[in-house]
Amino acid sequence: MKKLRLGVLASGRGSNLQAIMDRCQAGSLVAEVVVVISDKPAAYALERARRAGIAAYGLEMAAFPSKREYEQAVVELLREAGVQLLCLAGYMRLVGEPLLQAFPNKIMNIHPALLPSFPGLHGQRDALQYGVKISGCTVHFIDEGMDTGPIILQAAVPVLGDDTEETLAARILEQEHRLYPEAIQLYAEGRLEVEGRRVYIK
Ligand code: GRF
C-alpha cells in the first residue's frame, strides 16, 4: 500500500501531530506527514516537525492582506508537497473557502468533546461546567461550520467527581492520540464513505 501523504495544520504544542508521526514511523499508520504549517510561527508543533525532518512553515495571518490570501498561500504549500489528506491538529482557526475548495471532504479535525455537544475552543471546560458524566473526543471531516462536519470516530471518556479541566483534558488527550491515527488509517485504506452527515466505515 502506498503511503498517504498528510499535511498537518497546528497552532500549538502538537501532541496530536506527534502521535500521528509516531504511528507513521511505527508503520501502523500507512501514511507520512509531508508538511506541517502553523499560523503561529513559534508553535512547538513546528519544532517537532523539523526534528523529524519534515518541512515546517510558520505563516502569520497578519502578514497577509486577508484571510483568503493567507489560506491561498497555505493551499499552495500543501499542493507543492502533494498532500492528499489535510489534518487539523489543534489548529485554532475556522477553515475558509480556499482550503475547503482545494480539499473537499479531505480535511479532518480532532475535537476534545463528544460533538455535537461542546463545540468551540473549550470543549473540556464546557463539558465539565455543564456537568456531563461522559465526555470524550471526536474525529470529523471539516465543513464550513465550527466543529459541525460529518463524524468519523468518537471515543467516550468518563468525567470523574474530582476532575479539573486539566485532569479531564489529559484523559481525553490519551484517547485523541489513539483515535486520530485510527481515523486517518481508515481513510488511507479507502474505507470511509461520506453520505450527507453520515460517515460509513466499509
Ligand atoms: C487537542 O485537545 C485537540 O483536540 C484540540 O486542540 C488540542 C490540540 O492539542 N483541537 P495538541 O496541540 O495536539 O497537543
Side-chain angles (χ1 to χ4, degrees):
M1 202 169 124
K2 235 178 144 214
K3 286 183 185 173
L4 181 74
R5 295 176 73 80
L6 303 175
V8 176
L9 290 186
S11 302
R13 68 191 163 182
S15 72
N16 277 287
L17 164 67
Q18 190 67 54
I20 292 166
M21 293 192 303
D22 291 349
R23 290 282 298 271
C24 290
Q25 189 70 33
S28 51
L29 175 50
V30 187
E32 57 181 324
V33 179
V34 292
V35 62
V36 175
I37 303 172
S38 181
D39 57 325
K40 302 260 183 282
Y44 187 56
L46 292 175
E47 182 62 29
R48 291 184 195 262
R50 288 186 188 116
R51 277 190 203 164
I54 294 166
Y57 302 93
L59 257 59
E60 228 159 357
M61 201 184 288
F64 294 84
S66 67
K67 179 174 172 184
R68 170 169 284 276
E69 273 143 306
Y70 156 79
E71 278 205 1
Q72 281 163 348
V74 172
V75 166
E76 186 120 328
L77 289 171
L78 296 170
R79 285 214 169 113
E80 270 168 21
V83 166
Q84 297 170 292
L85 176 71
L86 176 59
C87 298
L88 310 187
Y91 181 63
M92 299 310 207
R93 290 184 185 278
L94 203 58
V95 166
E97 208 182 276
L99 274 165
L100 285 168
Q101 276 181 2
F103 294 92
N105 268 343
K106 291 180 182 146
I107 311 179
M108 278 187 192
N109 182 42
I110 179 110
H111 181 75
L114 291 178
L115 293 172
S117 293
F118 314 117
L121 290 179
H122 304 291
Q124 307 96 327
R125 184 197 306 171
D126 294 345
L128 193 63
Q129 282 177 355
Y130 193 91
V132 294
K133 302 295 185 195
I134 297 173
S135 192
C137 51
T138 304
V139 181
H140 62 97
F141 284 111
I142 283 284
D143 63 10
E144 60 291 331
M146 163 86 89
D147 302 323
T148 52
I151 291 171
I152 302 164
L153 290 177
Q154 294 187 299
V157 173
V159 180
L160 307 180
D162 58 357
D163 260 334
T164 62
E165 186 183 343
E166 289 69 33
T167 58
L168 177 60
R171 272 202 329 287
I172 293 174
L173 196 63
E174 269 177 43
Q175 293 303 313
E176 293 184 36
H177 294 165
R178 180 184 64 76
L179 203 69
Y180 209 178
E182 195 179 320
I184 298 167
Q185 179 61 18
L186 287 171
Y187 185 94
E189 291 172 11
R191 291 175 59 195
L192 299 180
E193 208 169 78
V194 184
E195 256 183 63
R197 283 215 51 82
R198 298 192 66 184
V199 180
Y200 294 95
I201 299 173
K202 293 188 287 180

